[in-house]
Short mmCIF file of all heavy atoms in Angstrom, two decimals:
data_model
loop_
_atom_site.label_atom_id
_atom_site.label_comp_id
_atom_site.label_asym_id
_atom_site.label_seq_id
_atom_site.Cartn_x
_atom_site.Cartn_y
_atom_site.Cartn_z
N ASN V 308 123.20 47.95 35.61
CA ASN V 308 123.73 49.14 34.94
C ASN V 308 124.62 49.92 35.93
O ASN V 308 124.88 49.45 37.05
CB ASN V 308 122.62 49.99 34.37
CG ASN V 308 121.74 50.65 35.44
OD1 ASN V 308 122.07 50.59 36.63
ND2 ASN V 308 120.67 51.27 35.01
N GLU V 309 125.10 51.12 35.53
CA GLU V 309 126.05 51.86 36.35
C GLU V 309 125.45 52.29 37.69
O GLU V 309 126.16 52.56 38.64
CB GLU V 309 126.65 53.03 35.58
CG GLU V 309 125.72 54.20 35.25
CD GLU V 309 124.87 53.97 34.02
OE1 GLU V 309 124.71 52.83 33.56
OE2 GLU V 309 124.29 54.96 33.51
N ASN V 310 124.10 52.36 37.75
CA ASN V 310 123.45 52.71 39.04
C ASN V 310 123.23 51.51 39.95
O ASN V 310 122.68 51.66 41.05
CB ASN V 310 122.05 53.32 38.82
CG ASN V 310 122.13 54.63 38.09
OD1 ASN V 310 123.08 55.39 38.29
ND2 ASN V 310 121.14 54.89 37.27
N GLY V 311 123.50 50.35 39.43
CA GLY V 311 123.18 49.12 40.19
C GLY V 311 121.76 48.63 39.98
O GLY V 311 121.29 47.75 40.69
N ASP V 312 121.04 49.23 38.99
CA ASP V 312 119.69 48.76 38.69
C ASP V 312 119.77 47.53 37.80
O ASP V 312 120.78 47.30 37.11
CB ASP V 312 118.90 49.84 37.94
CG ASP V 312 118.71 51.06 38.78
OD1 ASP V 312 118.64 50.92 40.05
OD2 ASP V 312 118.65 52.21 38.21
N LEU V 313 118.68 46.78 37.80
CA LEU V 313 118.67 45.55 37.01
C LEU V 313 118.21 45.86 35.56
O LEU V 313 117.18 46.52 35.38
CB LEU V 313 117.67 44.56 37.62
CG LEU V 313 117.57 43.21 36.95
CD1 LEU V 313 118.85 42.40 37.19
CD2 LEU V 313 116.36 42.42 37.46
N VAL V 314 118.96 45.41 34.62
CA VAL V 314 118.57 45.60 33.20
C VAL V 314 118.32 44.22 32.60
O VAL V 314 119.21 43.37 32.58
CB VAL V 314 119.67 46.35 32.39
CG1 VAL V 314 119.18 46.61 30.97
CG2 VAL V 314 120.03 47.64 33.08
N GLY V 315 117.11 44.04 32.08
CA GLY V 315 116.77 42.77 31.45
C GLY V 315 116.63 43.00 29.95
O GLY V 315 116.20 44.06 29.53
N SER V 316 116.96 41.98 29.16
CA SER V 316 116.76 42.10 27.72
C SER V 316 116.29 40.78 27.14
O SER V 316 116.47 39.73 27.78
CB SER V 316 118.00 42.59 27.02
OG SER V 316 119.00 41.56 27.12
N ILE V 317 115.69 40.84 25.98
CA ILE V 317 115.18 39.64 25.33
C ILE V 317 115.49 39.76 23.84
O ILE V 317 115.46 40.84 23.27
CB ILE V 317 113.66 39.48 25.59
CG1 ILE V 317 113.15 38.17 25.01
CG2 ILE V 317 112.86 40.64 25.05
CD1 ILE V 317 111.71 37.78 25.48
N GLU V 318 115.73 38.58 23.24
CA GLU V 318 115.94 38.52 21.79
C GLU V 318 115.28 37.24 21.29
O GLU V 318 115.63 36.15 21.76
CB GLU V 318 117.45 38.52 21.47
CG GLU V 318 117.72 38.41 20.01
CD GLU V 318 119.19 38.59 19.66
OE1 GLU V 318 119.81 39.55 20.14
OE2 GLU V 318 119.69 37.74 18.90
N ILE V 319 114.37 37.35 20.36
CA ILE V 319 113.59 36.16 20.01
C ILE V 319 113.02 36.31 18.58
O ILE V 319 112.66 37.40 18.18
CB ILE V 319 112.47 36.00 21.06
CG1 ILE V 319 111.66 34.72 20.84
CG2 ILE V 319 111.52 37.18 21.14
CD1 ILE V 319 110.71 34.41 22.00
N PRO V 320 112.99 35.21 17.81
CA PRO V 320 112.31 35.31 16.50
C PRO V 320 110.83 35.55 16.70
O PRO V 320 110.24 35.03 17.68
CB PRO V 320 112.54 33.94 15.89
CG PRO V 320 113.42 33.17 16.80
CD PRO V 320 113.49 33.84 18.10
N MET V 321 110.21 36.29 15.82
CA MET V 321 108.81 36.62 16.05
C MET V 321 108.03 36.63 14.73
O MET V 321 107.74 37.69 14.16
CB MET V 321 108.72 38.00 16.76
CG MET V 321 107.39 38.27 17.40
SD MET V 321 106.71 36.92 18.36
CE MET V 321 107.90 36.78 19.67
N ALA V 322 107.69 35.42 14.27
CA ALA V 322 106.95 35.32 12.98
C ALA V 322 105.45 35.42 13.23
O ALA V 322 104.75 34.45 13.21
CB ALA V 322 107.32 33.99 12.33
N VAL V 323 105.02 36.65 13.52
CA VAL V 323 103.57 36.86 13.65
C VAL V 323 103.11 37.78 12.51
O VAL V 323 103.93 38.44 11.86
CB VAL V 323 103.22 37.54 14.99
CG1 VAL V 323 103.36 36.55 16.14
CG2 VAL V 323 104.01 38.79 15.24
N GLY V 324 101.79 37.83 12.30
CA GLY V 324 101.29 38.69 11.24
C GLY V 324 100.06 39.40 11.65
O GLY V 324 99.45 39.12 12.71
N LEU V 325 99.65 40.37 10.85
CA LEU V 325 98.41 41.12 11.12
C LEU V 325 97.40 40.87 10.00
O LEU V 325 96.24 41.14 10.14
CB LEU V 325 98.69 42.62 11.20
CG LEU V 325 99.29 43.14 12.51
CD1 LEU V 325 99.50 44.66 12.38
CD2 LEU V 325 98.37 42.84 13.69
N ILE V 326 97.94 40.43 8.83
CA ILE V 326 97.02 40.15 7.72
C ILE V 326 97.14 38.69 7.36
O ILE V 326 98.16 38.05 7.52
CB ILE V 326 97.28 41.07 6.53
CG1 ILE V 326 98.70 40.91 6.03
CG2 ILE V 326 96.97 42.52 6.86
CD1 ILE V 326 98.94 41.60 4.68
N GLY V 327 96.02 38.17 6.85
CA GLY V 327 95.98 36.72 6.53
C GLY V 327 95.83 35.97 7.82
O GLY V 327 95.96 36.54 8.92
N GLY V 328 95.48 34.71 7.71
CA GLY V 328 95.37 33.86 8.90
C GLY V 328 94.23 34.24 9.82
O GLY V 328 93.41 35.09 9.46
N ALA V 329 94.22 33.63 11.00
CA ALA V 329 93.11 33.85 11.93
C ALA V 329 93.00 35.29 12.41
O ALA V 329 91.93 35.77 12.80
CB ALA V 329 93.25 32.89 13.13
N THR V 330 94.13 35.99 12.38
CA THR V 330 94.16 37.38 12.89
C THR V 330 93.16 38.26 12.19
O THR V 330 92.55 39.17 12.77
CB THR V 330 95.59 37.95 12.75
OG1 THR V 330 96.49 37.03 13.36
CG2 THR V 330 95.72 39.31 13.45
N SER V 331 92.99 38.03 10.87
CA SER V 331 92.08 38.88 10.16
C SER V 331 90.70 38.25 9.97
O SER V 331 89.84 38.81 9.30
CB SER V 331 92.67 39.34 8.84
OG SER V 331 93.23 38.25 8.17
N VAL V 332 90.49 37.08 10.57
CA VAL V 332 89.20 36.38 10.40
C VAL V 332 88.47 36.28 11.76
O VAL V 332 87.27 36.55 11.85
CB VAL V 332 89.43 34.93 9.86
CG1 VAL V 332 88.12 34.18 9.79
CG2 VAL V 332 90.08 35.00 8.48
N HIS V 333 89.20 35.94 12.80
CA HIS V 333 88.56 35.65 14.07
C HIS V 333 88.14 37.00 14.72
O HIS V 333 88.99 37.85 14.94
CB HIS V 333 89.53 34.92 15.00
CG HIS V 333 88.88 34.30 16.19
ND1 HIS V 333 88.30 35.04 17.20
CD2 HIS V 333 88.69 33.02 16.51
CE1 HIS V 333 87.79 34.23 18.08
NE2 HIS V 333 87.99 32.98 17.70
N PRO V 334 86.85 37.17 15.00
CA PRO V 334 86.38 38.50 15.47
C PRO V 334 87.05 38.93 16.77
O PRO V 334 87.30 40.11 16.96
CB PRO V 334 84.87 38.28 15.68
CG PRO V 334 84.59 36.88 15.43
CD PRO V 334 85.74 36.19 14.82
N ILE V 335 87.34 37.95 17.65
CA ILE V 335 87.98 38.37 18.93
C ILE V 335 89.44 38.72 18.71
O ILE V 335 89.97 39.69 19.29
CB ILE V 335 87.75 37.29 20.01
CG1 ILE V 335 86.23 37.16 20.23
CG2 ILE V 335 88.44 37.68 21.34
CD1 ILE V 335 85.78 36.18 21.29
N ALA V 336 90.09 38.01 17.83
CA ALA V 336 91.47 38.38 17.49
C ALA V 336 91.52 39.80 16.91
O ALA V 336 92.39 40.61 17.26
CB ALA V 336 92.05 37.37 16.49
N LYS V 337 90.51 40.11 16.09
CA LYS V 337 90.48 41.46 15.50
C LYS V 337 90.28 42.52 16.58
O LYS V 337 90.93 43.57 16.58
CB LYS V 337 89.34 41.54 14.46
CG LYS V 337 89.66 40.80 13.20
CD LYS V 337 88.81 41.22 12.03
CE LYS V 337 87.55 40.45 11.91
NZ LYS V 337 86.76 40.76 10.72
N ILE V 338 89.40 42.23 17.54
CA ILE V 338 89.19 43.19 18.64
C ILE V 338 90.48 43.32 19.43
O ILE V 338 90.86 44.44 19.84
CB ILE V 338 88.01 42.72 19.53
CG1 ILE V 338 86.71 42.71 18.75
CG2 ILE V 338 87.87 43.60 20.77
CD1 ILE V 338 85.53 42.04 19.46
N ASN V 339 91.14 42.22 19.65
CA ASN V 339 92.39 42.25 20.47
C ASN V 339 93.48 43.08 19.79
O ASN V 339 94.23 43.78 20.45
CB ASN V 339 92.86 40.84 20.78
CG ASN V 339 91.98 40.17 21.80
OD1 ASN V 339 91.29 40.82 22.54
ND2 ASN V 339 91.99 38.85 21.82
N VAL V 340 93.54 42.98 18.47
CA VAL V 340 94.51 43.80 17.73
C VAL V 340 94.15 45.31 17.95
O VAL V 340 95.03 46.13 18.15
CB VAL V 340 94.51 43.42 16.22
CG1 VAL V 340 95.28 44.47 15.40
CG2 VAL V 340 95.11 42.05 16.03
N LYS V 341 92.85 45.56 17.94
CA LYS V 341 92.42 46.95 18.16
C LYS V 341 92.78 47.42 19.56
O LYS V 341 93.25 48.54 19.78
CB LYS V 341 90.88 47.04 17.93
CG LYS V 341 90.34 48.42 17.96
CD LYS V 341 88.90 48.41 17.54
CE LYS V 341 88.32 49.80 17.59
NZ LYS V 341 86.90 49.83 17.31
N ILE V 342 92.55 46.52 20.56
CA ILE V 342 92.86 46.87 21.95
C ILE V 342 94.38 47.19 22.07
O ILE V 342 94.79 48.13 22.72
CB ILE V 342 92.47 45.72 22.91
CG1 ILE V 342 90.93 45.59 22.98
CG2 ILE V 342 93.04 45.98 24.34
CD1 ILE V 342 90.46 44.38 23.77
N ALA V 343 95.19 46.35 21.42
CA ALA V 343 96.64 46.55 21.51
C ALA V 343 97.06 47.81 20.74
O ALA V 343 98.17 48.29 20.95
CB ALA V 343 97.37 45.31 20.96
N GLY V 344 96.18 48.28 19.87
CA GLY V 344 96.43 49.52 19.16
C GLY V 344 97.55 49.42 18.14
O GLY V 344 98.26 50.36 17.88
N VAL V 345 97.71 48.22 17.55
CA VAL V 345 98.82 48.08 16.59
C VAL V 345 98.36 48.26 15.16
O VAL V 345 97.28 47.82 14.80
CB VAL V 345 99.53 46.71 16.75
CG1 VAL V 345 100.18 46.58 18.12
CG2 VAL V 345 98.59 45.52 16.52
N LYS V 346 99.20 48.94 14.41
CA LYS V 346 98.86 49.15 13.00
C LYS V 346 99.85 48.38 12.11
O LYS V 346 99.53 48.02 10.99
CB LYS V 346 99.00 50.65 12.68
CG LYS V 346 97.99 51.53 13.43
CD LYS V 346 96.66 51.57 12.69
CE LYS V 346 95.63 52.44 13.39
NZ LYS V 346 95.11 51.87 14.61
N HIS V 347 101.06 48.19 12.62
CA HIS V 347 102.07 47.46 11.84
C HIS V 347 102.54 46.27 12.64
O HIS V 347 102.56 46.30 13.88
CB HIS V 347 103.28 48.36 11.54
CG HIS V 347 102.88 49.56 10.74
ND1 HIS V 347 102.52 49.47 9.44
CD2 HIS V 347 102.71 50.85 11.08
CE1 HIS V 347 102.17 50.68 8.99
NE2 HIS V 347 102.28 51.52 9.96
N VAL V 348 102.97 45.25 11.93
CA VAL V 348 103.36 44.03 12.63
C VAL V 348 104.50 44.25 13.59
O VAL V 348 104.61 43.63 14.65
CB VAL V 348 103.65 42.91 11.59
CG1 VAL V 348 105.03 43.05 10.97
CG2 VAL V 348 103.48 41.55 12.21
N SER V 349 105.38 45.20 13.27
CA SER V 349 106.54 45.45 14.14
C SER V 349 106.07 45.89 15.53
O SER V 349 106.65 45.51 16.54
CB SER V 349 107.48 46.50 13.55
OG SER V 349 106.76 47.64 13.24
N GLU V 350 104.94 46.66 15.61
CA GLU V 350 104.43 47.09 16.92
C GLU V 350 103.98 45.85 17.72
O GLU V 350 104.18 45.79 18.92
CB GLU V 350 103.28 48.05 16.75
CG GLU V 350 103.66 49.37 16.16
CD GLU V 350 102.39 50.16 15.84
OE1 GLU V 350 101.78 49.87 14.77
OE2 GLU V 350 102.03 51.05 16.61
N LEU V 351 103.31 44.93 17.01
CA LEU V 351 102.84 43.71 17.71
C LEU V 351 104.03 42.92 18.22
O LEU V 351 104.06 42.42 19.35
CB LEU V 351 101.99 42.88 16.74
CG LEU V 351 101.47 41.57 17.30
CD1 LEU V 351 100.61 41.82 18.55
CD2 LEU V 351 100.68 40.79 16.24
N GLN V 352 105.07 42.83 17.39
CA GLN V 352 106.26 42.10 17.81
C GLN V 352 106.91 42.75 19.03
O GLN V 352 107.36 42.06 19.95
CB GLN V 352 107.29 42.06 16.66
CG GLN V 352 106.78 41.23 15.49
CD GLN V 352 107.61 41.44 14.24
OE1 GLN V 352 107.94 42.57 13.89
NE2 GLN V 352 107.95 40.37 13.57
N GLU V 353 106.96 44.07 19.02
CA GLU V 353 107.57 44.81 20.16
C GLU V 353 106.78 44.56 21.45
O GLU V 353 107.35 44.39 22.53
CB GLU V 353 107.67 46.29 19.80
CG GLU V 353 108.74 46.55 18.76
CD GLU V 353 108.60 47.86 17.97
OE1 GLU V 353 107.69 48.67 18.28
OE2 GLU V 353 109.36 48.04 17.02
N ILE V 354 105.44 44.56 21.30
CA ILE V 354 104.58 44.27 22.45
C ILE V 354 104.85 42.86 22.98
O ILE V 354 105.06 42.65 24.19
CB ILE V 354 103.11 44.43 22.06
CG1 ILE V 354 102.79 45.93 21.90
CG2 ILE V 354 102.18 43.81 23.09
CD1 ILE V 354 101.37 46.19 21.40
N ILE V 355 104.88 41.91 22.06
CA ILE V 355 105.01 40.51 22.48
C ILE V 355 106.36 40.27 23.17
O ILE V 355 106.43 39.64 24.23
CB ILE V 355 104.88 39.55 21.24
CG1 ILE V 355 103.46 39.64 20.71
CG2 ILE V 355 105.26 38.14 21.60
CD1 ILE V 355 103.24 38.92 19.38
N ALA V 356 107.42 40.87 22.64
CA ALA V 356 108.74 40.69 23.28
C ALA V 356 108.78 41.31 24.66
O ALA V 356 109.34 40.79 25.61
CB ALA V 356 109.83 41.26 22.37
N SER V 357 108.17 42.50 24.76
CA SER V 357 108.13 43.21 26.05
C SER V 357 107.39 42.37 27.10
O SER V 357 107.79 42.27 28.27
CB SER V 357 107.51 44.59 25.91
OG SER V 357 108.18 45.32 24.95
N VAL V 358 106.26 41.80 26.69
CA VAL V 358 105.51 40.94 27.62
C VAL V 358 106.33 39.74 28.00
O VAL V 358 106.38 39.36 29.21
CB VAL V 358 104.14 40.49 27.00
CG1 VAL V 358 103.44 39.51 27.89
CG2 VAL V 358 103.24 41.72 26.78
N GLY V 359 107.06 39.15 27.08
CA GLY V 359 107.94 38.01 27.39
C GLY V 359 108.94 38.37 28.44
O GLY V 359 109.18 37.63 29.40
N LEU V 360 109.55 39.53 28.25
CA LEU V 360 110.59 39.97 29.20
C LEU V 360 109.92 40.27 30.60
O LEU V 360 110.45 39.86 31.61
CB LEU V 360 111.28 41.23 28.66
CG LEU V 360 112.32 41.87 29.60
CD1 LEU V 360 113.42 40.92 29.99
CD2 LEU V 360 112.93 43.12 28.92
N ALA V 361 108.82 40.94 30.54
CA ALA V 361 108.11 41.28 31.80
C ALA V 361 107.75 39.99 32.55
O ALA V 361 107.94 39.87 33.76
CB ALA V 361 106.84 42.06 31.50
N GLN V 362 107.25 39.04 31.81
CA GLN V 362 106.82 37.76 32.42
C GLN V 362 108.00 37.05 33.08
O GLN V 362 107.89 36.53 34.19
CB GLN V 362 106.29 36.86 31.29
CG GLN V 362 105.27 35.88 31.77
CD GLN V 362 103.98 36.55 32.13
OE1 GLN V 362 103.37 37.21 31.33
NE2 GLN V 362 103.57 36.38 33.37
N ASN V 363 109.13 37.05 32.39
CA ASN V 363 110.32 36.38 32.88
C ASN V 363 110.86 37.13 34.12
O ASN V 363 111.20 36.50 35.15
CB ASN V 363 111.38 36.35 31.77
CG ASN V 363 112.68 35.70 32.18
OD1 ASN V 363 113.75 36.28 32.05
ND2 ASN V 363 112.60 34.46 32.69
N PHE V 364 110.88 38.45 34.05
CA PHE V 364 111.35 39.22 35.21
C PHE V 364 110.45 38.89 36.39
O PHE V 364 110.93 38.66 37.51
CB PHE V 364 111.37 40.74 34.90
CG PHE V 364 111.41 41.53 36.17
CD1 PHE V 364 112.61 41.72 36.83
CD2 PHE V 364 110.25 42.07 36.74
CE1 PHE V 364 112.67 42.39 38.03
CE2 PHE V 364 110.28 42.75 37.94
CZ PHE V 364 111.49 42.93 38.59
N ALA V 365 109.14 38.92 36.18
CA ALA V 365 108.18 38.71 37.28
C ALA V 365 108.42 37.33 37.93
O ALA V 365 108.38 37.21 39.14
CB ALA V 365 106.76 38.82 36.80
N ALA V 366 108.65 36.33 37.08
CA ALA V 366 108.90 34.98 37.62
C ALA V 366 110.15 34.94 38.46
O ALA V 366 110.18 34.44 39.59
CB ALA V 366 108.96 33.98 36.47
N LEU V 367 111.23 35.57 37.92
CA LEU V 367 112.50 35.54 38.63
C LEU V 367 112.41 36.37 39.90
O LEU V 367 112.96 35.99 40.97
CB LEU V 367 113.63 36.06 37.75
CG LEU V 367 113.93 35.26 36.49
CD1 LEU V 367 115.12 35.83 35.73
CD2 LEU V 367 114.21 33.79 36.81
N TYR V 368 111.68 37.45 39.89
CA TYR V 368 111.51 38.30 41.05
C TYR V 368 110.82 37.52 42.17
O TYR V 368 111.24 37.53 43.32
CB TYR V 368 110.69 39.54 40.64
CG TYR V 368 110.54 40.61 41.67
CD1 TYR V 368 111.49 40.81 42.68
CD2 TYR V 368 109.44 41.46 41.66
CE1 TYR V 368 111.35 41.84 43.58
CE2 TYR V 368 109.29 42.50 42.55
CZ TYR V 368 110.26 42.66 43.55
OH TYR V 368 110.09 43.66 44.48
N ALA V 369 109.76 36.80 41.78
CA ALA V 369 109.06 35.99 42.78
C ALA V 369 109.92 34.82 43.27
O ALA V 369 110.05 34.62 44.48
CB ALA V 369 107.78 35.47 42.19
N LEU V 370 110.54 34.16 42.32
CA LEU V 370 111.34 32.95 42.69
C LEU V 370 112.51 33.27 43.59
O LEU V 370 112.89 32.51 44.43
CB LEU V 370 111.86 32.26 41.41
CG LEU V 370 110.81 31.51 40.58
CD1 LEU V 370 111.37 31.17 39.20
CD2 LEU V 370 110.34 30.24 41.28
#
Side-chain angles (χ1 to χ4, degrees):
N308 69 8
E309 70 278 17
N310 294 326
D312 297 329
L313 183 71
V314 184
S316 67
I317 184 167
E318 178 173 312
I319 185 170
M321 197 46 65
V323 288
L325 281 179
I326 58 170
T330 308
S331 46
V332 175
H333 195 293
I335 299 182
K337 288 200 269 186
I338 296 171
N339 287 339
V340 167
K341 187 172 178 185
I342 292 173
V345 297
K346 297 275 181 287
H347 299 288
V348 78
S349 55
E350 292 171 282
L351 178 59
Q352 293 166 315
E353 287 158 7
I354 288 174
I355 294 172
S357 302
V358 172
L360 175 59
Q362 206 71 58
N363 179 234
F364 163 79
L367 297 183
Y368 187 27
L370 288 166

